[in-house]
Amino acid sequence: MPQNDERPVSTSSGEDQGSDVESSSERCDSMTSTSDLDCTRESFTSDCSSKHCTPSSSPPKTITLDEVMESTRDLFNLSLGHEITVNPNLRFEPHSPPQGSLFKVVRDTLHKAYWDILESELNDDPPEYEHAIKLLEEIKEILLSFLNPGANRMRTQIMEVLDIDLIRQQADNDAVDIQGLASYIINTMGKMCAPVRDEEIKNLRESTDNTVTLFREIFRVLDLMKADVVNFKIDQMRTVMQKEGVEYERATFQRILDSTPDGLNKTTSWIKSTIEELQSAAILTEPTEGQGKGQPAVLGPFQILNTAFLRILTWDYNKNILPETLATDEARFQEIQVQLQKCQAVNEVLLIVYNTVGGPIQGLASLSDRLKRMTTVLLDGMHRPNFNPQEALEGVSSQICCELNKSLTERSYPPLTPALQGTLKGQITNITRKDNPIRILVEDRVQQYFMMLINDPKPQTKLEHVPAGLAIIKHELMLLAEKFLSLVNYNKTVYGPFYASIIRKLIFSNSPPAKNPSQDTPRDTVASK
């Protein structure tokens, strides 16, 4: 925490505006150095590459407790460093347990008992200062922790004024000036705090509360200042991490692999299953030139990796753990999947409505928006285990029929007949079936949209090219695609060498690689594609 003239800017928490990462993947592209790309290309066709770009794994060995602890620290640092880099809204807040929770009740009870004891001791005749001195000692340590290494004058002043040995001697002679010490502490906090806490400090200075209540408020503001210190340091680290984050994350992950030889097992299985899936699909289609009937297709490494990332959109988190290289973004990938599934369901419902009712409701933007908002709200929480999709869709269809009848009546059209309402409700509730043609159509076109963007070297120019039938959710789809592409491109930049090594081993394990095994253009790389 800077002090004096180096006060940090406000670190109050800001709302997440719907994006944990930068909306554009260009930031990720800028982090990819030419040497990284060259090494990645080389790693597909050669067993020789530099230590910098080639991930390694240690031979089986006995792992000591110290190594396990070191690996755990590396994993924590990797997660924290990644979060600082990709999440501009990352902020630390003092822990506040939920109202009415057992933890909060117990904590508040213990705190009240402590402050009651302190008040009782200070009101004794003569006063007892033991608990008060412990509080002053804790405050002293907190204030010292806020200082920069070069703030020697203020450090000396704090040590002199809050000299605990001297205060104990004063307490023995009933000569402790508690109010004077509290005033000094508040003034010192005012010199150290961020501007956002100025109002809190002002309130402390003007407080007319008794000594115990004043000290409770001092500790409350100190907790806020601790959070400010952490957030200020996070902001400082973010500037560094955005420049060096790729190298830091890659090196940290390599250290984890060095102590965990099987640390890429799930990543390898993920890529291997993708290769098998692509080969099976290719065998079912017409063989390409030079490929015999029934022979495995020759797959490009970027085709494999892009298809593997596309599978993350439909990943079953209840049955499978994400690959190790994606673990730091698991919550973000999961949130994208949840939002995408809801968007798809909304699109399916409204496609059915417009195809069933037809002309009388075509071209009414306000009605379309109302139906979309209403359906979105009623389908909220569809990812939760206790969500009943059939029941929710029945509610959606009933609300939609009411809204349609209201709109038709206002414009002098006859309301929907009972038969048409029954048909509409039946079709809407039927989208819970996986073989529903509307559901298959929407899901396939969403997959096509994301695959088009993943494969494109400049996806930002294609974001608006939403396939036919998805216009209803175009805005939401574009936002989700931006988030997904940003995560994917940054992940490729960091872990590209690891993916290259895995794919090379899987493809060429039984035969030497050809000179140009990839069907991709020379400009494509795992880190930038």
Side-chain angles (χ1 to χ4, degrees):
M1 164 74 69
Q3 45 99 11
N4 299 336
D5 295 333
E6 297 181 348
R7 299 174 66 184
V9 296
S10 171
T11 53
S12 58
S13 175
E15 288 188 9
D16 189 348
Q17 299 300 318
S19 174
D20 282 338
V21 294
E22 295 177 14
S23 60
S24 171
S25 62
E26 292 177 356
R27 178 179 63 81
C28 299
D29 294 337
S30 68
M31 291 182 176
T32 308
S33 65
T34 304
S35 60
D36 287 343
L37 306 190
D38 292 340
C39 289
T40 302
R41 166 63 64 181
E42 181 183 340
S43 67
F44 279 119
T45 57
S46 171
D47 290 333
C48 301
S49 58
S50 67
K51 173 69 176 177
H52 173 70
C53 282
T54 302
S56 63
S57 58
S58 304
K61 64 177 182 178
T62 302
I63 301 176
T64 66
L65 179 59
D66 287 343
E67 288 174 324
V68 172
M69 295 300 293
E70 184 65 30
S71 180
T72 302
R73 282 192 293 271
D74 283 336
L75 186 59
F76 173 80
N77 291 336
L78 176 65
S79 300
L80 179 60
H82 181 77
E83 196 68 24
I84 291 172
T85 303
V86 304
N87 185 1
N89 299 304
L90 179 64
R91 286 291 182 272
F92 173 79
E93 296 292 337
H95 176 63
S96 180
Q99 286 291 338
S101 65
L102 178 61
F103 182 81
K104 180 172 176 57
V105 171
V106 172
R107 190 196 68 171
D108 290 349
T109 301
L110 292 174
H111 283 192
K112 183 178 184 303
Y114 180 87
W115 293 111
D116 286 347
I117 291 172
L118 177 63
E119 186 169 21
S120 175
E121 288 183 350
L122 293 178
N123 289 333
D124 282 348
D125 189 15
E128 172 60 50
Y129 292 105
E130 187 58 34
H131 278 83
I133 291 174
K134 289 180 179 178
L135 285 181
L136 292 171
E137 189 171 12
E138 185 174 349
I139 291 172
K140 172 185 173 183
E141 294 303 318
I142 294 172
L143 293 177
L144 291 174
S145 71
F146 290 159
L147 294 177
N148 285 330
N152 296 324
R153 183 163 55 182
M154 183 167 282
R155 184 182 304 275
T156 301
Q157 187 184 73
I158 292 173
M159 296 288 288
E160 289 177 353
V161 176
L162 297 179
D163 185 336
I164 302 303
D165 291 336
L166 177 61
I167 293 173
R168 287 188 187 279
Q169 294 176 16
Q170 293 173 341
D172 292 339
N173 297 292
D174 193 18
V176 179
D177 182 6
I178 292 292
Q179 286 293 337
L181 291 173
S183 179
Y184 170 78
I185 290 168
I186 293 170
N187 288 333
T188 304
M189 290 167 61
K191 296 175 183 178
M192 295 178 166
C193 72
V196 71
R197 303 301 170 203
D198 285 348
E199 189 64 29
E200 300 276 3
I201 299 298
K202 179 182 176 183
N203 292 337
L204 288 178
R205 287 194 177 109
E206 297 174 353
S207 175
T208 58
D209 294 328
N210 62 35
T211 303
V212 173
T213 303
L214 180 60
F215 271 95
R216 289 185 69 166
E217 284 299 293
I218 286 174
F219 270 94
R220 182 184 65 81
V221 177
L222 284 173
D223 282 341
L224 296 176
M225 290 174 63
K226 286 187 213 175
D228 294 339
V229 170
V230 174
N231 291 328
F232 181 74
K233 290 181 178 178
I234 286 175
D235 288 337
Q236 286 183 315
M237 290 175 63
R238 181 174 289 113
T239 303
V240 177
M241 291 298 295
Q242 286 177 344
K243 294 179 181 178
E244 304 177 8
V246 170
E247 293 298 326
Y248 173 79
E249 290 189 42
R250 190 182 297 164
T252 304
F253 191 77
Q254 182 63 65
R255 285 200 302 273
I256 295 172
L257 288 184
D258 290 340
S259 59
T260 314
D262 58 351
L264 281 172
N265 280 2
K266 291 182 176 60
T267 303
T268 303
S269 297
W270 168 55
I271 295 176
K272 183 180 180 181
S273 62
T274 301
I275 293 174
E276 293 170 350
E277 179 183 296
L278 287 170
Q279 288 177 336
S280 298
I283 290 174
L284 296 175
T285 60
E286 290 293 326
T288 58
E289 185 178 351
Q291 176 191 343
K293 188 175 181 181
Q295 290 182 346
V298 178
L299 304 173
F302 309 111
Q303 178 189 6
I304 295 169
L305 193 58
N306 291 342
T307 304
F309 273 108
L310 188 68
R311 294 173 61 197
I312 300 301
L313 291 172
T314 55
W315 192 267
D316 190 341
Y317 291 90
N318 294 322
K319 294 181 180 179
N320 301 302
I321 299 174
L322 271 183
E324 297 88 350
T325 53
L326 303 179
T328 50
D329 284 315
E330 179 172 355
R332 279 176 276 271
F333 280 122
Q334 221 169 340
E335 179 61 23
I336 289 172
Q337 185 190 84
V338 166
Q339 295 301 323
L340 187 59
Q341 288 175 348
K342 185 162 70 171
C343 285
Q344 290 174 168
V346 170
N347 197 89
E348 291 156 14
V349 168
L350 295 188
L351 276 181
I352 291 171
V353 170
Y354 279 92
N355 287 336
T356 304
V357 179
I361 62 171
Q362 295 292 341
L364 300 175
S366 59
L367 175 63
S368 177
D369 288 341
R370 286 202 304 274
L371 294 178
K372 181 179 175 180
R373 286 197 304 269
M374 182 178 65
T375 305
T376 301
V377 170
L378 292 174
L379 292 180
D380 192 37
M382 61 182 293
H383 62 286
R384 294 178 184 142
N386 59 350
F387 183 82
N388 187 327
Q390 192 75 20
E391 186 178 299
L393 288 171
E394 287 175 1
V396 167
S397 59
S398 297
Q399 291 294 325
I400 283 177
C401 286
C402 290
E403 192 66 33
L404 290 175
N405 285 332
K406 178 183 175 183
S407 176
L408 291 169
T409 303
E410 289 175 350
R411 292 177 293 111
S412 302
Y413 282 96
L416 302 177
T417 64
L420 189 56
Q421 290 188 47
T423 300
L424 194 59
K425 290 180 180 179
Q427 290 185 5
I428 289 175
T429 55
N430 197 42
I431 66 173
T432 56
R433 296 176 54 183
K434 291 187 177 181
D435 61 349
N436 180 273
I438 297 293
R439 176 173 175 173
I440 292 173
L441 173 70
V442 171
E443 290 179 354
D444 283 351
R445 290 188 178 177
V446 167
Q447 291 283 303
Q448 292 169 16
Y449 175 67
F450 275 86
M451 180 55 89
M452 173 195 71
L453 295 175
I454 294 175
N455 284 327
D456 198 287
K458 295 182 178 179
Q460 293 299 315
T461 63
K462 302 289 183 65
L463 279 173
E464 293 194 1
H465 296 184
V466 175
L470 304 180
I472 297 169
I473 57 170
K474 178 178 179 178
H475 177 69
E476 292 80 4
L477 210 53
M478 289 172 60
L479 291 177
L480 291 173
E482 282 186 325
K483 292 181 185 179
F484 184 70
L485 289 171
S486 184
L487 291 174
V488 168
N489 287 340
Y490 186 75
N491 186 276
K492 286 180 180 180
T493 306
V494 174
Y495 298 105
F498 298 92
Y499 295 138
S501 177
I502 292 171
I503 293 174
R504 186 182 68 245
K505 289 176 183 177
L506 290 173
I507 293 180
F508 306 124
S509 56
N510 297 322
S511 60
K515 284 188 177 181
N516 296 299
S518 170
Q519 302 299 314
D520 305 289
T521 60
R523 66 181 173 181
D524 295 334
T525 67
V526 166
S528 65
K529 178 68 174 164

